[in-house]
Structures are given as structure tokens and as C-alpha cells.
Amino acid sequence: MPASRPKKPGDPQHPRATGPLRSFGRIKSRAIKPLQAALFDTLLPSIAVPDPAHGPIDPRVLMPEAKEAWLEIGFGGGEHLAAQAGRRPDAVMIGCEPFLNGVASLLRHVDEGGLKNVRIHADDARAVVQALPDGSLDRIMILFPDPWHKARHNKRRLIQPAFAAELAGKLKPGGRLRFVTDWKDYAGWALERFLATPGLRWLADEAADWKVAPEDHVVTRYEEKRLGDTDPLFLEFEKI
């Protein structure tokens, strides 16, 4: 399968003159290690999600034998996605991340773990979400998205009413959406918008339901840095 944005570490950022406001920051920071950089040529082309601009993306085509389809939006360093993929080899794990260092890290995890069920989109997740058929996903995971916590930047937050509705539409009945943040304001912002989204039910009855990590949660290096203003808050929703 061709890479959705075939570029190597060091290539210039593609222009983004049109489309939604960017909901993420930098594309690349430190130099990518040679062994990881090589995986952009040797591994990524074989596990890349097809370019969403070329038409619909059916998870059943990405991995025909998969029993479930999961999507992680903004997988960071890839530890969480790789761990979930290792636990559930029967599920195709679609990961979207525009930060090239994070893509390189996940490629290393996939290579070293011999993971066969990971598919990568090295760009903005919103194009993939739009290309996925309605009712095609069993789980959606959004862990620690950029908070854009200054009021004038709130419009850049990933969770907006239209996108929340789009995510709900992609879930199967009974499918789950998990949103995790360590910023109180973003948790309230996201909760308000998800609660207003038809078809989603918040799975919380008491404070522990959003303050205690779910049993299958995987702690990442980012989470351990404690960069937000609160302990992680876990918002879990079900498609009804």
C-alpha cells in the first residue's frame, strides 16, 4: 500500500493552504536516528494507510482477517498503540500522527515487536476519519491531544462539535471512544461537546470513573512527565 504522505525525515513540511485549522504543533524536532529513519523506506510503505484523498478507507481491506478495527488519533511515541496491538493481534490498529519523530518511534516498536496489525497515517487524522465508512470502528482513542489552553487558541483544539459528531458516526453500536487529557479546562471542553453529540453515552457514574485509569490503559512517557495542571482524566463514551 502506498504511503499517504511519502516523505523522509528532513523533507520539508507539505504546505497546508486549505483545510481545517491545524490541531497539532511541530512536525519534527530532534534528528531521527539512522535505524529508525531507514524504517521510513523499508517498513512504512508496507503498513501505511492509503492516501485518504484517493477515496474511502475500509478497515476490512487494511487487514481482512481482523475481528475489530481501532483508531488512535495522535499516537505520540507509539508506546500505547504498540502495546494495544500486542494485546489484540486480532484487531487492526490504525494510528495517525503528524509528528515524524513519533512515527519513527512507532515504526521501531512495530519492527522490534513483529507487530502485523498496525497501520500508520503519518499526517492529520481528520482526513482518515472522513474517509472511513460510518459504523466501521470498534474503538477510538485520543490520548493527551494538544490542549491549546490559551483562550485565543481554543479554536485549534481537535475536539470541536462537528468532529465529535463525525467520530460518533464512525463507531459501531456499542463501540467505545476514550478521551484522555491532563488539562482540566480541556476535559471540561471535551465533555461538554461529547455530551452534546447525538449517539454518545458517557460511561461515568462517579468521580472514580474519570479519575482512575481504565484497566487496559497503557501509561506512556508523555503521561509520566505530568505536563498538565491535573492528574490524567479519562472520559469514556459508548455509541448507542
Side-chain angles (χ1 to χ4, degrees), residues 64-218:
E65 69 274 24
K67 295 181 179 178
E68 293 189 3
W70 296 23
L71 171 68
E72 181 166 348
I73 297 176
F75 56 72
E79 306 106 306
H80 177 269
L81 185 62
Q84 297 288 7
R87 292 173 177 176
R88 289 294 309 272
D90 61 335
V92 59
M93 302 285 176
I94 305 168
C96 302
E97 176 58 63
F99 186 47
L100 292 185
N101 297 80
V103 175
S105 178
L106 178 57
L107 287 171
R108 177 178 61 82
H109 286 299
V110 171
D111 184 53
E112 293 178 352
L115 302 173
K116 305 300 183 184
N117 57 331
V118 173
R119 303 293 181 265
I120 297 176
H121 178 67
D123 208 331
D124 194 327
R126 289 172 289 189
V128 168
V129 171
Q130 188 172 27
L132 287 167
D134 287 346
S136 62
L137 296 176
D138 295 271
R139 295 192 67 178
I140 298 173
M141 298 166 289
I142 307 172
L143 276 60
F144 305 101
D146 194 317
W148 295 105
H149 49 80
K150 293 183 179 179
R152 67 178 184 274
H153 292 154
N154 284 176
K155 61 187 177 183
R156 292 188 177 274
R157 286 176 166 172
L158 178 67
I159 306 305
Q160 304 290 341
F163 189 60
E166 192 170 18
L167 291 176
K170 304 304 175 179
L171 284 170
K172 298 175 181 178
R176 298 287 185 91
L177 185 154
R178 178 177 299 168
F179 177 89
V180 186
T181 183
D182 52 2
W183 289 91
K184 294 177 183 177
D185 178 66
Y186 201 3
W189 167 287
L191 180 60
E192 180 181 353
R193 282 148 185 79
F194 284 131
L195 287 177
T197 301
L200 289 182
R201 178 172 68 93
W202 187 26
L203 300 176
D205 296 316
E206 55 187 32
D209 292 330
W210 65 84
K211 291 183 177 180
V212 177
E215 290 184 2
D216 65 346
H217 176 64
V218 178

